Amino acid sequence: MPRVLVIEDDEVTAREIVAELSVHGILADWVSDGRVGLNRAITEGYDLITLDRMLPGMDGIDVVAALRQSQIDTPVLMISALSEVDERVRGLRAGGDDYLTKPFAPDEMAARVEVLLRRRQPQSEPRLRVADLELDLVRHTAHRKGQLLNLLPTEFRLLEFLMRNSGQVLTRTMIFETVWGFHFDPGTNIIDVHIGRLRRKIDGAGQLPLIRTVRGTGYMLVSAPHVVTV
């Protein structure tokens, strides 16, 4: 069972995080002080940390910096009430971690935690395979049933994200911030446009669909073809 350290000074938010993660089969411990959290993270070997941006004892960004200086690469999901992502947080996210703005939906938080936990799993091969779909990460090529798919760079990154998290519902926010690399604009339809293009290339004529729409939430890549798109 994955172990997550929740470093959060607001008790209501912390209990909400712990409760939601437990529903997903993830064991979570809670501390309310940044310096105490840093010591726990260094000594107890957690699989992931959810970290409030502003904490008593030690600022969240300073906690991350201290972890990295100690050669601890535990994934960090930074959570903050600040609406703007400052340059220090941008640097954190460039390191492969994630950032979530308060208020947030508990299922969105849990989904991001699960994605970060999956990223931590070592990749044994330079290829991803889901059903009859294959992505070669070295040659940057994609095939379905042996047929080459002509993907643009953004389509390739989008498909890679979907394949790495197959069977997992990915929200539009998660897709946008991972594939495009900046804060999600809820007014944009860029994700839907690119998903539509990707579908036409992957789920072409005579192919059973692999990309599924989850109404009101986002998309997922299923591990077996399905007949009806939900």
Side-chain angles (χ1 to χ4, degrees):
M1 177 182 291
R3 295 179 65 230
V4 170
L5 177 62
V6 178
I7 309 177
E8 169 62 61
D9 64 334
D10 180 74
E11 182 175 355
V12 173
T13 301
R15 292 190 182 279
E16 185 177 66
I17 293 172
V18 171
E20 183 66 24
L21 292 179
S22 68
V23 171
H24 292 260
I26 299 170
L27 180 65
D29 296 331
W30 167 45
V31 297
S32 59
D33 180 274
R35 195 169 297 280
V36 173
L38 173 62
N39 291 334
R40 291 280 295 272
I42 290 174
T43 60
E44 298 193 27
Y46 287 91
D47 298 300
L48 184 137
I49 300 165
T50 71
L51 179 63
D52 191 23
R53 172 68 172 84
M54 302 185 72
L55 290 163
M58 192 175 192
D59 177 83
I61 294 293
D62 292 331
V63 170
V64 176
L67 285 172
R68 301 309 183 236
Q69 288 171 6
S70 300
Q71 304 300 309
I72 295 175
D73 62 353
T74 307
V76 174
L77 173 60
M78 183 71 71
I79 300 176
S80 176
L82 301 176
S83 59
E84 295 296 326
V85 183
D86 63 31
E87 290 303 316
R88 299 175 77 196
V89 176
R90 289 185 191 278
L92 164 71
R93 291 184 56 205
D97 298 317
D98 203 357
Y99 183 95
L100 187 63
T101 304
K102 295 179 181 178
F104 56 86
D107 57 347
E108 167 87 4
M109 177 275 304
R112 287 172 179 261
V113 166
E114 289 180 330
V115 167
L116 286 172
L117 288 172
R118 288 191 182 192
R119 283 187 200 166
R120 191 165 177 78
Q121 296 174 355
Q123 299 297 322
S124 58
E125 295 185 27
R127 290 183 177 85
L128 300 175
R129 294 182 181 86
V130 176
D132 53 5
L133 185 63
E134 181 177 300
L135 204 65
D136 189 316
L137 302 176
V138 176
R139 296 182 176 84
H140 275 247
T141 57
H143 293 80
R144 185 165 185 194
K145 287 188 175 179
Q147 182 176 356
L148 180 65
L149 305 174
N150 184 20
L151 301 183
L152 297 174
T154 301
E155 294 168 347
F156 188 92
R157 292 196 304 272
L158 176 57
L159 180 58
E160 179 183 353
F161 186 51
L162 291 170
M163 291 181 71
R164 285 191 184 277
N165 300 283
S166 63
Q168 169 80 36
V169 177
L170 301 174
T171 67
R172 287 176 171 82
T173 301
M174 293 167 65
I175 294 171
F176 193 86
E177 294 182 356
T178 300
V179 177
W180 279 267
F182 48 93
H183 197 60
F184 178 61
D185 176 5
T188 184
N189 68 342
I190 189 171
I191 296 172
D192 307 288
V193 170
H194 278 78
I195 286 286
R197 291 175 180 169
L198 194 58
R199 268 194 174 125
R200 286 192 291 273
K201 294 180 179 182
I202 292 173
D203 299 337
Q207 300 274 24
L208 291 177
L210 289 175
I211 299 176
R212 177 177 296 179
T213 300
V214 182
R215 294 186 187 276
T217 303
Y219 299 94
M220 67 183 294
L221 190 76
V222 296
S223 56
H226 61 293
V227 176
V228 179
T229 301
V230 176

